[in-house]
Amino acid sequence: SACLTRASRIVPAAPARSRAARACTARGSVAYPSRSKARPTPPAAHAEFSAAPSLSGRKRALVIRYGGFGDILQASSVFPGLKGEGYEVWVNTTPKGRDILAWDPHVDGWWLQETDQVPNDELGFYWQALRQRFDRVINLSESVEGTLLTIPQRVNDQWHDQARRLLLNHNHMTVIHSLAGIPTGSRLRFYPSVKENRQGARMRRVLGHGSVVMWVLAGSSVHKAWPFVDHVLAALLMTRPDMRIILVGDDACRILEE
């Protein structure tokens, strides 16, 4: 619990767009409407706090997922099922993960920590402490990577192809929902803010008619940077002059953009 005390912060969120966030009574916490225009920045550190308080008197479920944008969005597909079972849904993630899910109406509260703030060798103790504070904890760490997508130096990366196809060749969303104990069928969905919708519509008008391709220059891991991007882009522009290409990525991707 010492690791839990120094690493995290509790941030409740409004479960619906029309409601303001209920006050969080845990010491060192920050409460604000999750759909508000101006969101105060949670404090960087706290002295201590106890169990996450229920915002509604319902059972509380915590979904644990860190990682990149795709990881967070995949995990969010279990939220509707949990809400349907009567749970108040909390999410243990990083500030980057919260940014992606900030407008998801199924999220009631956040349990946030910085990336790598809890050392990997302490995560087991950390997660055990979290299990004592919620009615249900769904840990989706490595639900895809390491489980269905093998990692070099691990045993399953050396399996025979027959074994890999038998044990690893499964739909990612089906496995995630099975790990969560939620019926399959919920579709992955991103919930943009009103401002983001307006920005997207404005950009689309500026780009005019014709096809638009958004090209993600690289992912969150080293193996997600693709070679020969400049050759492919040049071929597209030569064969499809009507096409508009939008390059996106983080600061490191600016090297590829150049």
Side-chain angles (χ1 to χ4, degrees):
S1 60
C3 173
L4 185 72
T5 297
R6 68 172 181 265
S8 301
R9 54 182 178 268
I10 301 175
V11 183
R17 293 174 186 261
S18 60
R19 301 181 191 172
R22 297 175 175 84
C24 177
T25 58
R27 184 162 37 166
S29 61
V30 175
Y32 60 85
S34 65
R35 302 339 179 237
S36 64
K37 294 182 180 179
R39 300 175 189 155
T41 302
H46 307 295
E48 61 180 88
F49 50 76
S50 57
S54 174
L55 305 178
S56 61
R58 292 176 292 161
K59 300 176 295 181
R60 295 165 301 168
L62 179 70
V63 178
I64 302 172
R65 193 59 165 121
Y66 316 127
F69 297 161
D71 300 320
I72 304 301
L73 285 172
Q74 283 185 330
S76 71
S77 66
V78 309
F79 300 167
L82 290 171
K83 296 288 281 190
E85 293 183 9
Y87 283 96
E88 184 180 276
V89 177
W90 288 64
V91 183
N92 172 220
T93 187
T94 62
K96 179 176 66 175
R98 181 187 58 179
D99 288 344
I100 296 299
L101 302 179
W103 294 81
D104 191 321
H106 302 98
V107 178
D108 296 299
W110 307 97
W111 194 294
L112 300 177
Q113 69 215 38
E114 297 295 333
T115 301
D116 296 328
Q117 189 168 1
V118 181
N120 284 340
D121 59 354
E122 294 185 27
L123 281 173
F125 300 105
Y126 177 65
W127 291 332
Q128 184 60 36
L130 287 178
R131 291 186 181 280
Q132 301 172 18
R133 289 162 167 78
F134 290 87
D135 300 289
R136 181 173 176 180
V137 173
I138 297 170
N139 193 339
L140 296 179
S141 298
E142 294 199 0
S143 54
V144 174
E145 73 283 7
T147 300
L148 300 178
L149 302 178
T150 63
I151 297 175
Q153 312 306 323
R154 294 196 182 181
V155 173
N156 60 356
D157 191 56
Q158 307 300 321
W159 285 349
H160 187 277
D161 182 67
Q162 181 177 341
R164 293 167 67 95
R165 292 181 180 276
L166 174 66
L167 300 174
L168 308 179
N169 188 27
H170 299 285
N171 182 281
H172 292 184
M173 300 297 288
T174 300
V175 172
I176 288 171
H177 284 230
S178 296
L179 291 172
I182 297 297
T184 58
S186 296
R187 298 185 62 183
L188 187 154
R189 179 179 175 183
F190 170 67
Y191 293 89
S193 66
V194 174
K195 180 179 179 181
E196 289 166 339
N197 270 326
R198 289 174 179 170
Q199 288 175 332
R202 188 184 309 118
M203 177 175 286
R204 192 65 182 87
R205 288 195 298 270
V206 170
L207 293 171
H209 299 289
S211 301
V212 176
V213 174
M214 185 179 75
W215 190 297
V216 182
L217 289 172
S220 56
S221 299
V222 65
H223 65 277
K224 297 178 182 178
W226 315 113
F228 310 115
V229 170
D230 52 341
H231 295 274
V232 176
L233 293 176
L236 283 173
L237 293 173
M238 292 176 64
T239 58
R240 293 288 305 275
D242 64 315
M243 182 178 290
R244 300 292 183 269
I245 301 175
I246 308 298
L247 304 179
V248 299
D250 58 13
D251 290 337
C253 290
R254 293 184 182 277
I255 300 174
L256 299 174
E257 185 180 22
E258 295 172 357

